[in-house]
Amino acid sequence: MTVPKYHELIRPLLDLVADGRPRNLREAAQELAERLSLTDEDLTETLPSGYPRYLNRVGWAKSDLNKTGLIESCGRGLFRISERGSNALPELPPQLDRKYFEARELGSWKSVSAPPTSSAGPEARPDETLTPEEQIDETLAELQEALEQEVLTQLRSINPASFERFVVRLLAAMGYGVGEVTGRSGDGGIDGVIYEDRLKLDRIYLQAKRWADAPVGGPDINGFLGALAKHGANRGVFVTTSRFTQDARRAVELPHLRLVLIDGEELARLAVEHNVGVSVKRKIELKRLDTDFFDDL
């Protein structure tokens, strides 16, 4: 099964601690996983930060229950059902979520007024099936995708010589050494070279095609292979702002070749990842409670 949404864990977590026994978060999460028959694959799924998705969702379920007063802290990193929770448990619905807590103003939850409407319709509220951290990850993914598209559009608009210089700078930023543009756009030969050592003994040859729509096909790859052969080389990178046909990808499937193909989407992703052609607008730190710190006090 897939990892339950965090609001789907609120009532099961409360039922788990209904026996009154104190538990820490990891202990409760493990017991709950066994009750829900979650698989090892479910438990090892991670957020982009590397933190376990399931444990993150259990943590937010616990946080919501804390705000309601249905559970209470009872020691270092421990929690249990509260007297209020024990009394309320028989009357609670099978599924609990933030809308339920807000509507009844349980604990520190306050009712939320209806969002304003406009000619375009009601303003969308955040997806309440996701934890706040997952909402951040989803928003960041959308921003990343939009930025990559902007980068790709910009790359398709610059002149071929500038594009070749961009490719050389990108590969240098990726740690492949100092490079230079060597060819002329449209000559069918080598557009650039990366030197992996100071004596320029180890070289990676480049071909850069700034195309908007036309795909790179097998004949284009074969032309590049011919250029590599003239230099006695078998290592190269073919970069394009468009895409590669299946024939092009099959053309590089030779055991003696070390030829990498980078299409427009991957090129834009690499540019954003290595901060080439983009700049950092703002850094945000997302912090998490360090329970080990308090346990050691």
Side-chain angles (χ1 to χ4, degrees):
M1 65 178 297
T2 58
V3 179
K5 300 296 185 181
Y6 100 94
H7 71 280
E8 297 172 336
L9 295 168
I10 297 176
R11 178 61 196 254
L13 180 59
L14 185 61
D15 290 337
L16 175 71
V17 300
D19 59 9
R21 182 168 67 84
R23 294 170 173 84
N24 61 37
L25 179 62
R26 289 189 178 273
E27 182 183 4
Q30 182 59 42
E31 289 185 50
L32 195 56
E34 293 172 359
R35 286 194 179 191
L36 298 174
S37 300
L38 298 182
T39 66
D40 290 340
E41 185 178 358
D42 296 328
L43 300 180
T44 55
E45 182 181 338
T46 62
L47 298 169
S49 64
Y51 194 75
R53 184 181 300 277
Y54 167 68
L55 190 59
N56 173 263
R57 290 181 175 177
V58 175
W60 280 104
K62 171 182 173 290
S63 176
D64 280 7
L65 286 172
N66 269 330
K67 290 177 67 175
T68 65
L70 298 176
I71 63 173
E72 61 186 7
S73 298
C74 56
R76 291 181 176 179
L78 300 176
F79 66 98
R80 64 188 175 194
I81 195 169
S82 64
E83 181 179 354
R84 178 180 185 178
S86 296
N87 294 333
L89 193 58
E91 307 299 326
L92 293 174
Q95 181 169 306
L96 299 173
D97 55 29
R98 291 184 169 189
K99 289 181 180 179
Y100 180 87
F101 299 148
E102 289 172 355
R104 290 154 183 79
E105 297 192 343
L106 290 176
S108 59
W109 286 98
K110 301 298 180 184
S111 60
V112 178
S113 58
T117 59
S118 66
S119 58
E123 181 180 318
R125 291 183 61 183
D127 185 350
E128 295 184 352
T129 68
L130 302 177
T131 69
E133 188 170 343
E134 288 173 327
Q135 291 175 27
I136 292 173
D137 289 337
E138 190 173 84
T139 300
L140 288 176
E142 291 178 2
L143 292 172
Q144 173 94 355
E145 182 179 354
L147 177 57
E148 289 172 5
Q149 286 300 314
E150 287 185 83
V151 170
L152 184 55
T153 299
Q154 183 67 32
L155 288 174
R156 287 172 173 169
S157 68
I158 63 179
N159 63 59
S162 296
F163 179 61
E164 291 166 5
R165 289 192 292 270
F166 173 88
V167 172
V168 168
R169 291 185 61 177
L170 173 60
L171 290 176
M174 293 172 63
Y176 285 97
V178 177
E180 63 179 352
V181 174
T182 59
R184 298 187 305 275
S185 176
D187 66 0
I190 302 299
D191 292 326
V193 61
I194 297 291
Y195 304 110
E196 294 193 281
D197 66 290
R198 292 185 178 182
L199 297 178
K200 300 183 179 180
L201 296 176
D202 292 325
R203 304 181 181 191
I204 300 174
Y205 292 93
L206 310 176
Q207 177 75 276
K209 295 291 187 185
R210 186 197 54 79
W211 292 349
D213 300 314
V216 175
D220 302 297
I221 300 297
N222 290 330
F224 184 44
L225 294 177
L228 290 177
K230 290 180 181 179
H231 288 79
N234 65 347
R235 303 169 65 197
V237 179
F238 198 120
V239 184
T240 181
T241 50
S242 62
R243 57 187 175 83
F244 295 97
T245 65
Q246 289 299 319
D247 286 343
R249 295 192 180 277
R250 282 194 291 267
V252 302
E253 295 175 355
L254 296 174
H256 67 284
L257 286 178
R258 297 176 62 187
L259 184 58
V260 176
L261 305 183
I262 301 177
D263 62 15
E265 290 186 1
E266 185 176 3
L267 178 63
R269 180 185 62 79
L270 291 172
V272 173
E273 179 181 345
H274 295 278
N275 292 323
V276 179
V278 301
S279 58
V280 177
K281 181 178 181 181
R282 180 173 56 169
K283 289 186 177 181
I284 301 174
E285 290 186 331
L286 184 61
K287 300 182 180 181
R288 180 179 289 111
L289 181 68
D290 184 355
T291 55
D292 292 337
F293 170 85
F294 292 97
D295 289 342
D296 293 337
L297 289 178

